[in-house]
Amino acid sequence: MLGNTHYYNRTIRKVVVAFGTLFNDLLLVRYNKAGTVEHERMRVPLSYGAKEKYVYRLTSDPDLTKSIATSVPRISFDLVGLEYDSSRKFISVNRNYAQGSDGSVKAQYAPVPYNFEFELAIYVRNTEDGTQILEQILPFFTPDFTITVDFIPSIGRKYDMPVILNSVTPQTEYEDDMSTTRLIIWNLSFTAKGYIFPSVSSAGLIEQANTSIYKDTRDTLSQKVYVDSANGAGVFVTGETVREQSKGKTGTVVYFANNSTGTLIVSDLTELLDENDVIVGDYSNAYYTIDTVDLNPIKTVSIVTTPDPVGANTTDNYGFTEVITEFPDTL
């Protein structure tokens, strides 16, 4: 899609699994009537599925051999919706980086925040079982409980995912009428503030960083032109004043290359030079006709940074060397 190759980070699956893991170790203990002697202990089964279908499974009995009393307590949960959360948006161009096993650099753009809406249902036959299970859940949500999820192991970034308890409501179902066995359901609504991640790309290590500083050449402080070496004579001297007699323009020579390119840089101009202007040096008496005016900025400083040693990996201890070149050697 959108020109990308296929990828699948299992992000949504990991959110669902992380949410379900919160409730997969709940215990139900039953006591005698006095509440002093334990006579039964069980782990409450947890399954993924819609509540409506689960209620139907519990209450239906085509063979007349099953009852609610032997099917509960149970817990089911279901992902019922996703909603984009603009309040948690990262800067879109931010990236996470990690070193791959082959020495390459793995990169991934910032994840997209989504709110995952979950519904959890607790099925019990009697009120005491339901309240006992609830009391093992509710104290941890105030109203949120944060879990850490390793969404993208190859990048090595773990994210905290708050899970917010929105509401708790009871419900009672009967197999036939109010005189028969009842099914008590506690409905809990949650919001998990998770993320959906884009693809992971790989690239080679950056072995050199180049930084350049430029100066605008389209103002009177500094202008770069090319002269016609076949239509002139002499060598301009750095620091001397050059003049364009017919228009009264003057400036100071910063750099002159007396070769086939005929590069000339003039500063402190009274007026910008134009093509076909004839300029003469006060000291050297050199004269040339301007052939071309360069509109590109002048590179004044070039900085080349390389790791030391050059073959260092991202996790190694290494320094760096810098080579700084200043104008006019940058030309």
Side-chain angles (χ1 to χ4, degrees), residues 19-179:
F19 178 82
T21 303
L22 292 174
F23 311 99
N24 68 353
D25 59 351
L26 296 175
L27 296 177
L28 180 66
V29 179
R30 292 192 174 118
Y31 300 88
N32 60 1
K33 290 185 178 181
T36 57
V37 179
E38 176 184 332
H39 65 82
E40 186 179 8
R41 178 183 291 261
M42 69 180 72
R43 184 185 296 272
V44 182
L46 176 71
S47 61
Y48 181 83
K51 184 187 74 172
E52 291 77 10
K53 294 183 178 180
Y54 213 78
V55 171
Y56 179 77
R57 276 185 60 190
L58 292 173
T59 57
S60 64
D61 188 12
D63 299 323
L64 301 178
T65 58
K66 185 179 69 173
S67 68
I68 288 177
T70 59
S71 301
V72 295
R74 290 185 181 275
I75 299 176
S76 73
F77 70 98
D78 187 24
L79 175 63
V80 296
L82 289 82
E83 183 179 10
Y84 176 73
D85 187 354
S86 60
S87 65
R88 295 186 291 125
K89 182 182 183 301
F90 294 102
I91 298 175
S92 299
V93 296
N94 279 3
R95 292 192 188 189
N96 295 325
Y97 294 93
Q99 181 183 6
S101 57
D102 58 353
S104 64
V105 175
K106 294 183 177 294
Q108 184 181 54
Y109 281 105
V112 182
Y114 270 85
N115 293 334
F116 294 75
E117 306 297 334
F118 287 94
E119 288 185 355
L120 182 137
I122 303 170
Y123 311 91
V124 293
R125 181 173 180 270
N126 56 69
T127 302
E128 183 73 11
D129 288 351
T131 55
Q132 183 179 155
I133 295 172
L134 276 176
E135 287 193 16
Q136 295 181 68
I137 297 175
L138 301 185
F140 294 96
F141 294 89
T142 58
D144 65 283
F145 179 79
T146 301
I147 55 179
T148 302
V149 183
D150 189 2
F151 282 107
I152 310 294
S154 62
I155 294 295
R157 287 289 304 273
K158 297 181 180 180
Y159 285 79
D160 291 336
M161 184 176 73
V163 180
I164 302 171
L165 175 60
N166 299 315
S167 63
V168 180
T169 57
Q171 176 185 347
T172 304
E173 297 279 345
Y174 290 89
E175 291 187 23
D176 187 10
D177 54 40
M178 297 185 65
S179 63

Side-chain angles (χ1 to χ4, degrees), residues 218-245:
R218 288 169 290 182
D219 59 41
T220 55
L221 295 177
S222 180
Q223 186 179 24
K224 181 179 180 182
V225 298
Y226 299 98
V227 299
D228 184 359
S229 58
N231 189 9
V235 178
F236 291 122
V237 177
T238 300
E240 75 169 318
T241 299
V242 291
R243 302 177 185 274
E244 204 292 322
Q245 299 289 350

